[in-house]
Amino acid sequence: MTAGPAAATRPHNRKQLIVEAAGQVFSERGYHAASMEEIAAGVGISAAALYRHFPNKYALFAECANVMVDRLVAALDESPPEANLREVLAALTRVTVAHRASGGLYRWEARYLGREDRRQLRGKFAHVVGRVTDLARREYPLPDERLRAVAALGAIGSITMHHTSIAQRRVEELLLASATRVVATDPAAAAGSARTVELPAQPVPRTRRAEILAAAVPLFARDGFATVTNGQIAQAVGLAPSAIYRHYPGKVDILVAACLQAGGLLAQAVDRSLRQAADPRQAVVALTAAYVAYSFEHNALTSVAEAEIAGLPADLRRPLILAQREHIAVWEQQLRSARPELDGRQARLLVHAGFGVVVEAGRALRWQDTPDHRDAVTALVTGALTL
């Protein structure tokens, strides 16, 4: 008896295909917005077939969150013990670029993992950071070798957070050069830069609407937008849950207001920083110092805007995406003026690498807002931009 057509064409690596498709959907739409039906459709199977491989969405999500870090660990294990820093970073870069569509899941969505799964994920990533840290200490004996290692991995990992189209080999070259430069940067190189940044103050809540927004942002940042309830927000403000609707039509409108506030404050910071620059290089350094200062001072607001925007309905997300692109266009223009050999896509790639440095270095410093921390991250970002 011969097998039917379905059995004959069923791929042997279906589980791997499912994980790849799911990682991309989770990365693009967020854990809660993604559905098993959508993931199954991406693989070309039914939802029932998908459940034969994974009992529920969480099990599939946990697998996806770990797979990229597992690949990084495997790349390290395959590198010979005598491999130098550049060889190790090159191996990590190749893996990350090859899986850019699904590889960024652990950066934002891992907060939805259970405690034990988060602990295991952190342990794997610590192994990667430890190997790079040891090589950084040996080849570039400068202060804060672990911070430099984490920042370099942030530059590499940035490729998973945007869709700039560029040849894979060129991506690898640019990210490898950027990450290597970060490790070689003295974090004290930008001493004093953060002290000159004057950021616009976050508005003081003077209305009930503003109080609701101020209470919601730290809850969204800590627990994730999807898991926070209107009741929790109302309790933080001292209102009945039904009173929220007198100020916002729904919870998503609070999130949109938070994203708009983040974009407005950042735009003001950019305008102020550029007024003080005398040439393109100074402009890029000023942009960097302002962005770093902004990220530390408004960390909860920034993390919410970055992590949750993908889960918004398309009509609400569109103006926020346009604002992000306008912000990146300012960086691109200034960086290309400072480095004329770059084209637009290459400049955007490096700008995102700088943003990746801020995210991972800030997390490593637990976003403790001190002038020294701001200066250190500013120096590492300028290293990522290879100024």
Side-chain angles (χ1 to χ4, degrees):
M1 180 180 295
T2 59
T9 58
R10 180 178 298 166
H12 297 295
N13 63 338
R14 173 162 285 175
K15 187 172 183 178
Q16 180 183 343
L17 295 175
I18 291 171
V19 171
E20 286 289 341
Q24 185 169 349
V25 173
F26 285 137
S27 294
E28 291 181 352
R29 294 176 48 76
Y31 171 59
H32 286 280
S35 70
M36 294 291 269
E37 290 74 16
E38 182 180 7
I39 294 167
V43 187
I45 60 176
S46 67
L50 178 56
Y51 282 109
R52 286 199 290 271
H53 294 276
F54 294 94
N56 52 53
K57 186 169 78 167
Y58 179 83
L60 176 54
F61 173 67
E63 178 78 10
C64 293
N66 277 276
V67 70
M68 186 65 194
V69 182
D70 288 340
R71 287 169 176 149
L72 296 177
V73 171
L76 289 183
D77 292 344
E78 292 168 4
S79 299
E82 66 274 11
N84 61 30
L85 176 65
R86 183 176 178 82
E87 291 168 338
V88 166
L89 290 178
L92 298 176
T93 301
R94 282 193 297 272
V95 170
T96 305
V97 173
H99 301 282
R100 67 179 293 187
S102 59
L105 187 63
Y106 71 92
R107 298 186 74 185
W108 297 115
E109 295 298 302
R111 65 190 181 284
Y112 293 122
L113 290 172
R115 180 177 298 177
E116 179 59 24
D117 287 329
R118 282 201 309 271
R119 186 191 67 78
Q120 293 182 7
L121 188 69
R122 284 196 295 266
K124 294 174 184 178
F125 194 69
H127 173 68
V128 177
V129 172
R131 177 78 179 273
V132 178
T133 299
D134 290 342
L135 291 169
R137 183 184 299 113
R138 183 192 314 165
E139 298 184 31
Y140 297 97
L142 297 166
D144 299 321
E145 59 273 8
R146 186 180 186 279
L147 179 64
R148 290 183 282 126
V150 169
L153 293 173
I156 294 170
S158 67
I159 192 62
T160 65
M161 304 307 293
H162 62 95
H163 301 287
T164 303
S165 177
I166 188 171
Q168 180 170 327
R169 180 164 182 171
R170 187 58 176 145
V171 171
E172 293 176 5
E173 292 171 351
L174 286 167
L175 290 181
L176 177 57
S178 180
T180 304
R181 180 68 178 176
V182 169
V183 177
T185 296
D186 184 349
S193 63
R195 295 169 176 80
T196 65
V197 175
E198 294 184 11
L199 292 177
Q202 189 165 338
V204 177
R206 301 187 186 278
T207 65
R208 186 65 78 183
R209 179 180 170 89
E211 288 176 354
I212 292 170
L213 180 60
V217 165
L219 292 175
F220 292 159
R222 185 190 68 193
D223 300 327
F225 169 76
T227 59
V228 174
T229 66
N230 277 348
Q232 291 174 296
I233 299 170
Q235 183 179 19
V237 186
L239 292 174
S242 60
I244 294 286
Y245 297 102
R246 291 201 294 269
H247 304 279
Y248 290 96
K251 189 175 69 167
V252 70
D253 299 281
I254 303 176
L255 175 58
V256 171
C259 293
L260 289 172
Q261 187 181 88
L265 290 171
L266 183 55
Q268 292 178 52
V270 167
D271 289 341
R272 288 188 182 187
S273 65
L274 290 179
R275 289 194 206 113
Q276 304 170 3
D279 58 55
R281 188 184 188 284
Q282 286 186 19
V284 175
V285 174
L287 278 172
T288 300
Y291 185 80
V292 169
Y294 165 84
S295 298
F296 273 91
E297 187 161 322
H298 303 296
N299 172 247
L301 189 60
T302 304
S303 64
V304 167
E306 291 289 340
E308 305 291 359
I309 193 172
L312 288 172
D315 59 327
L316 297 177
R317 186 172 67 246
R318 193 172 298 112
L320 302 175
I321 294 294
L322 290 175
Q324 285 184 343
R325 288 175 179 171
E326 289 175 3
H327 173 66
I328 292 170
V330 173
W331 280 81
E332 178 189 332
Q333 178 185 8
Q334 299 299 334
L335 183 57
R336 291 187 67 190
S337 296
R339 295 189 57 191
E341 77 278 9
L342 297 174
D343 64 27
R345 287 176 296 177
Q346 293 166 357
R348 285 195 298 277
L349 185 85
L350 289 178
V351 169
H352 282 289
F355 294 166
V357 168
V358 176
V359 170
E360 298 303 337
R363 286 177 173 176
L365 296 169
R366 299 183 182 276
W367 296 111
Q368 295 175 354
D369 193 4
T370 69
D372 286 344
H373 285 174
R374 290 187 182 189
D375 287 347
V377 179
T378 297
L380 295 172
V381 175
T382 55
L385 301 174
T386 58
L387 287 178

